[in-house]
Amino acid sequence: MPFTTRPELRGTFGMVASTHWLASSAGMAILERGGNAFDAAVAAGLTLQVVEPHLNGPGGEVPVILYDASTDATVVVDGQGPAPRAATIDAYRERDIDLIPGTGLLAACVPGAIGAWLLMLERYGTMGVADVFEYAIGYAENGYPMVDRIAATIAGMEQVFRNDWPTSAEIYLANGVPKGGDLFRNPALAGMYRRMVDAAGSGDRVGQIDRARSAFYEGFVADAIEEFCRGHDGLLTGSDLAGWRAGIEPTVSLSFRGYEVHKAGPWTQGPVFLQQLALLEALELGRFGSADHVHTVVEAAKLAFADREAFYGDPNFADVPLDDLLSRDYTEERRGLITDTASHQLRPGSPGGRTPVLPPPTAPGERTPAHLIGAGEPTRGDTCHVDTVDRWGNMVAATPSGGWLQSSPAIPGLGFCLGTRAQMFWLTEGLANTLEPGKRPRTTLSPSLAFKDGAPYMAFGTPGGDTQDQWSLNMFLNHAVFGMDLQAAIDAPNFHTNHFPSSFYPRLSNPGQIEVESRFGDDVIAELERRGHEVMIADPWSLGRLSAVARQPDGVLKAAANPRGMQGYAVGR
């Protein structure tokens, strides 16, 4: 066995893996109290809103894929809120905006995370509202040790907070610029959670959840959001929140070498994972870590993501030819485009004979007034992730994101800000991902769940924006094809391509560019350059924030988490 930074955890009771050790511990505490994997995921997800505020919050969103052992069902919980009713192309044109900014209230969609967590708790969980909110309230009220990256993010936003966003300064600069390791509190956020718990009351569990949901989407939270947006040129209203509910959807799946991988639909980028698998099914990957291996995976990614740009969008508004994109004939046709030389073209196909339509190229600062320009994606490896599995075989993969502290000014009295997922829409007519009121943006958030030999096996995922379905694919291939255990698969050197347009403002692309961790070695990097790739050498432990849990047929549970950034952790027994 190769050296790994931590052991692959094994046990029989329960496992939780996430991007922060406090969230993993909160989820495990719920399992120890008799809760199931769904209860644990909700508690962990709410805790992430507190302890990773630079990466997610209650104003953000979360897609979830889960397996319910009691009904043998695998489903998606849709926690992606839609565009406000007032969010029309004309509304942005009137403001001289041709590209939705990456920060500010004009990029906000309906907050979906709270609704999704509460729906999963209602349909699949066993615990009450107070139980799952307990840990988030505790850390917001009593404090948590701030990691260095949060402190650095706040320091970078200090002047914006002081000069332009005073409601955020009240929270994050209350005692000056915090340092890594400081005990940090957010009493306003704790108070918001407490008011939801108080509104939930006691008694019937489903009734509790419904009352907590109403407090957020129809009560004091929605009122505060509407008042703030009205006073700051935001488009989101209380009626937008009241008119939305999280939903349950079927997954999209594909078989690959004894596995069946489940993803959310094309309102996420998730199906690109499946398109990549389909392309790679009949290809020789070569030795792990070789130039052949990296080149082949990258060239398949370029083709899949080109299709994402041309065809993916909310299927309630766009005709997404998903069956054709995943069909054998189409895949074979596309596979023939992969050669030994790196492509520098964006080459969508013609599934079912359709003509691909691509968004226009963009350049920094060209399409948005300077005072509205946003940072887009907050960090490399933005977003959070949590996976859970319990002794009954229930399994969850969830990727919460958005509403990070640098998104927009904090809402007074609530302790959080709104998200910026609307930046992923295009203001160009005729695209699958063109902005429309009530439409979901094509999000990058992309959890995964895999069956093995017909049985539910593994839940996994990573933060990382456009790289999510590249980093997680690499981890999956490391495990499923190259035979690594979960921890080794996560620890292994990682890579991705920046070939296609970014989903984040200002929507730039870098044709032919790949990033590889330096651990691949000089010989591999030189060979990739010889094949025509523009190689960016990344630090040896810098790409990916993966976590995973799994269940073997004999009932043994497994878990692993990413060592990069010294933050993610898996716990279990």
Side-chain angles (χ1 to χ4, degrees):
M1 289 294 295
F3 170 81
T4 56
T5 57
R6 300 116 179 239
E8 177 190 73
L9 302 187
R10 296 199 173 207
T12 56
F13 179 78
M15 297 282 170
V16 183
S18 83
T19 49
H20 198 292
W21 67 89
L22 291 178
S24 298
S25 296
M28 193 66 201
I30 289 289
L31 293 179
E32 295 287 4
R33 289 165 55 180
N36 62 22
F38 312 116
D39 300 313
V42 175
L46 294 171
T47 300
L48 286 171
Q49 294 178 355
V50 179
V51 302
E52 289 196 315
H54 59 317
L55 302 175
N56 83 133
E61 50 276 324
V62 57
V64 181
I65 299 182
L66 64 84
Y67 174 76
D68 176 23
S70 66
T71 60
D72 191 29
T74 306
V75 300
V76 172
V77 180
D78 165 23
Q80 175 57 65
R85 294 172 190 170
T88 63
I89 291 177
D90 286 344
Y92 289 92
R93 296 274 190 253
E94 290 167 2
R95 293 167 170 81
D96 295 323
I97 294 172
D98 292 321
L99 192 67
I100 298 176
T103 60
L105 297 174
L106 289 174
C109 289
V110 173
I114 292 292
W117 291 130
L118 291 177
L119 177 60
M120 183 164 66
L121 181 68
E122 175 188 336
R123 295 279 186 92
Y124 304 100
T126 65
M127 290 192 156
V129 172
D131 298 311
V132 296
F133 274 84
E134 177 182 342
Y135 303 97
I137 291 173
Y139 287 122
E141 195 166 67
N142 302 319
Y144 63 92
M146 180 175 281
V147 299
D148 291 343
R149 292 189 180 188
I150 302 176
T153 301
I154 295 170
M157 293 294 292
E158 179 185 6
Q159 294 308 310
V160 174
F161 287 174
R162 293 195 189 280
N163 298 334
D164 302 307
W165 297 0
T167 53
S168 296
E170 290 173 7
I171 297 170
Y172 295 105
L173 302 176
N175 299 303
V177 178
K179 301 185 299 296
D182 285 356
L183 197 65
F184 185 80
R185 298 173 176 84
N186 188 341
L189 182 58
M192 189 276 290
Y193 288 143
R194 282 201 178 278
R195 288 186 68 180
M196 289 183 64
V197 171
D198 290 343
S202 58
D204 172 58
R205 197 181 70 86
V206 173
Q208 288 182 40
I209 295 167
D210 188 57
R211 290 187 291 272
R213 182 190 295 113
S214 294
F216 190 95
Y217 288 96
E218 301 171 57
F220 76 97
V221 176
D223 291 343
I225 288 173
E226 174 165 329
E227 181 179 356
F228 193 68
C229 287
R230 188 187 301 122
H232 294 80
D233 196 32
L235 301 176
L236 197 61
T237 68
S239 63
D240 289 318
L241 273 75
W244 178 80
R245 287 290 183 272
I248 305 293
E249 297 185 355
T251 63
V252 181
S253 64
L254 184 90
S255 296
F256 176 84
R257 304 188 186 184
Y259 291 83
E260 183 181 25
V261 180
H262 291 258
K263 301 291 289 187
W267 54 272
T268 74
Q269 69 176 0
V272 297
F273 190 109
L274 307 182
Q275 285 195 254
Q276 291 173 93
L277 285 182
L279 289 164
L280 295 172
E281 171 75 39
L283 293 175
E284 174 58 51
L285 292 180
R287 177 178 50 83
F288 171 78
S290 66
D292 284 338
H293 163 215
V294 176
H295 172 83
T296 301
V297 172
V298 163
E299 293 305 298
K302 291 175 183 178
L303 295 174
F305 278 88
D307 282 343
R308 182 194 76 167
E309 291 306 298
F311 299 109
Y312 286 25
D314 185 346
N316 294 331
F317 290 77
D319 177 20
V320 183
L322 200 55
D323 289 342
D324 290 321
L325 288 166
L326 295 173
S327 70
R328 184 180 299 275
D329 289 346
Y330 179 73
T331 299
E332 289 179 354
E333 174 189 328
R334 298 285 280 163
R335 190 184 294 126
L337 297 175
I338 298 175
T339 69
D340 290 337
T341 302
S343 170
H344 286 241
Q345 297 178 317
L346 190 65
R347 299 181 292 177
S350 299
R354 292 169 176 81
T355 300
V357 181
L358 289 170
T362 65
E366 284 187 352
R367 298 173 175 270
T368 302
H371 71 286
L372 291 175
I373 288 178
E377 191 177 13
T379 62
R380 168 57 57 80
D382 76 291
T383 303
C384 311
H385 189 80
V386 59
D387 303 299
T388 60
V389 62
D390 62 30
R391 60 192 184 275
W392 301 290
N394 300 305
M395 200 173 294
V396 176
T399 310
S401 185
W404 39 67
L405 64 86
Q406 61 274 40
S407 292
S408 60
I411 309 295
L414 299 184
F416 68 86
C417 60
L418 295 173
T420 57
R421 196 61 56 174
Q423 69 181 287
M424 296 184 172
F425 284 119
W426 290 98
L427 299 179
T428 302
E429 298 279 5
L431 303 174
N433 194 33
T434 296
L435 172 69
E436 296 182 59
K439 185 177 183 178
R440 292 171 291 184
R442 188 211 68 209
T443 181
T444 54
L445 305 177
S446 190
S448 304
L449 195 147
F451 281 51
K452 182 179 181 181
D453 298 327
Y457 174 64
M458 179 169 64
F460 61 104
T462 180
D466 292 299
T467 59
Q468 287 184 28
D469 282 302
Q470 298 185 70
W471 291 344
S472 58
L473 176 75
N474 292 340
M475 176 264 176
F476 176 78
L477 294 175
N478 293 346
H479 182 64
V481 176
F482 296 111
M484 301 180 194
D485 72 24
L486 297 183
Q487 190 62 52
I490 290 172
D491 284 356
N494 216 334
F495 62 93
H496 66 267
T497 179
N498 300 315
H499 177 78
F500 44 84
S502 170
S503 297
F504 295 86
Y505 181 92
R507 315 302 294 272
L508 302 179
S509 60
N510 295 280
Q513 184 183 95
I514 62 174
E515 294 188 48
V516 301
E517 289 185 346
S518 60
R519 288 185 288 153
F520 277 98
D522 294 343
D523 291 346
V524 170
I525 292 169
E527 174 60 16
L528 290 169
E529 291 175 332
R530 190 193 68 78
R531 295 187 184 202
H533 298 279
E534 178 193 346
V535 181
M536 309 296 291
I537 303 173
D539 290 339
W541 294 89
S542 60
L543 303 182
R545 293 181 64 210
L546 287 142
S547 63
V549 298
R551 184 177 189 271
Q552 297 181 168
D554 60 3
V556 171
L557 309 179
K558 305 185 288 189
N562 175 56
R564 298 165 178 86
M566 299 177 291
Q567 192 170 320
Y569 231 80
V571 295
R573 70 173 179 85

